[in-house]
Amino acid sequence: MFLNKNIGWKAVYHFQGMSREDMELYTTSDGGETWKEIGDSLQAGSTLPSGVKSGITFVNEKEGWITTNAPWQGKVGLYKTMDGGVTWSEQTVTVPDELVNSQIYAYPPLFLTKDQGILITRPAENEHTLLYITIDGGQHWKSFLDDQEDQYVGIAWTLSESMATVKYAEKTWTLSMQNYGKWSL
């Protein structure tokens, strides 16, 4: 994941089964010519998230998110860094009462501006849709339950079983739910 032509991160995953995936995280400041390890989930004291990772997003050199998934009930696996990926902390988002006993698969958040972003999730039983929007750079996330097609603060979305479409400022992004959660413009 590159922020610009020079600054980027890459993760190396080691699936261990039973919803466990070890991870090393690297950063570069020279366009990928050299990489520096900044985290390893096997190191003592590592704060890299547990669970199977579904994506990583950075909005600047310091601030980023990792989404993870495991058989948790009523939890969205969202983790945030404020130091470029060296340390991570869980970012709790409120899960609606209808989903407190559900497994919720999270896709990486998409930031449309430095303050506005959207986090798409998929509850395991597919009876509901659930997404979150932030208007304060990811400090708080407002939930939208069963709104397959709607808009909020200029962010419009359409959700189907296999795809999410987001429109903002005359641009459109799509998220294929079968393509490992990668956003495309």
Side-chain angles (χ1 to χ4, degrees), residues 100-139:
V100 295
N101 295 317
S102 298
Q103 281 183 247
I104 301 170
Y105 187 90
Y107 295 93
L110 170 66
F111 280 85
L112 308 160
T113 69
K114 70 179 188 75
D115 291 324
Q116 294 180 302
I118 188 166
L119 173 67
I120 305 288
T121 71
R122 172 179 264 164
E125 63 281 331
N126 283 331
E127 294 173 9
H128 296 281
T129 60
L130 176 64
L131 63 89
Y132 295 86
I133 291 184
T134 183
I135 59 171
D136 60 6
Q139 298 300 311

Side-chain angles (χ1 to χ4, degrees), residues 47-116:
T47 59
L48 283 169
S50 62
V52 177
K53 286 53 162 191
S54 58
I56 186 167
T57 300
F58 278 83
V59 294
N60 58 46
E61 291 183 45
K62 299 292 182 189
E63 200 170 0
W65 287 263
I66 289 179
T67 47
T68 67
N69 298 288
W72 302 307
Q73 289 187 326
K75 174 183 168 180
V76 175
L78 181 63
Y79 296 82
K80 186 175 182 180
T81 183
M82 293 297 290
D83 61 9
V86 176
T87 59
W88 295 86
S89 59
E90 185 173 0
Q91 188 173 24
T92 304
V93 295
T94 303
V95 173
D97 291 342
E98 294 87 339
L99 297 173
V100 295
N101 295 317
S102 298
Q103 281 183 247
I104 301 170
Y105 187 90
Y107 295 93
L110 170 66
F111 280 85
L112 308 160
T113 69
K114 70 179 188 75
D115 291 324
Q116 294 180 302

Side-chain angles (χ1 to χ4, degrees), residues 117-185:
I118 188 166
L119 173 67
I120 305 288
T121 71
R122 172 179 264 164
E125 63 281 331
N126 283 331
E127 294 173 9
H128 296 281
T129 60
L130 176 64
L131 63 89
Y132 295 86
I133 291 184
T134 183
I135 59 171
D136 60 6
Q139 298 300 311
H140 303 93
W141 295 86
K142 177 178 173 54
S143 66
F144 292 83
L145 178 66
D146 294 331
D147 284 334
Q148 279 97 354
E149 189 169 350
D150 209 342
Q151 71 85 31
Y152 179 70
V153 297
I155 302 170
W157 64 87
T158 303
L159 304 176
S160 71
E161 282 189 34
S162 61
M163 183 176 293
T165 303
V166 174
K167 295 180 180 184
Y168 180 80
E170 300 183 23
K171 291 184 182 176
T172 302
W173 292 262
T174 57
L175 171 71
S176 170
M177 311 256 193
Q178 284 104 17
N179 190 23
Y180 303 103
K182 296 196 188 303
W183 286 99
S184 60
L185 181 62

Side-chain angles (χ1 to χ4, degrees), residues 13-68:
Y13 303 110
H14 307 282
F15 184 71
Q16 303 297 328
M18 296 300 293
S19 300
R20 179 175 164 213
E21 185 176 62
D22 295 327
M23 168 186 186
E24 295 109 36
L25 186 61
Y26 299 86
T27 188
T28 184
S29 59
D30 60 11
E33 297 224 7
T34 60
W35 292 91
K36 175 185 173 191
E37 184 178 287
I38 56 173
D40 183 339
S41 61
L42 294 177
Q43 290 178 341
S46 173
T47 59
L48 283 169
S50 62
V52 177
K53 286 53 162 191
S54 58
I56 186 167
T57 300
F58 278 83
V59 294
N60 58 46
E61 291 183 45
K62 299 292 182 189
E63 200 170 0
W65 287 263
I66 289 179
T67 47
T68 67

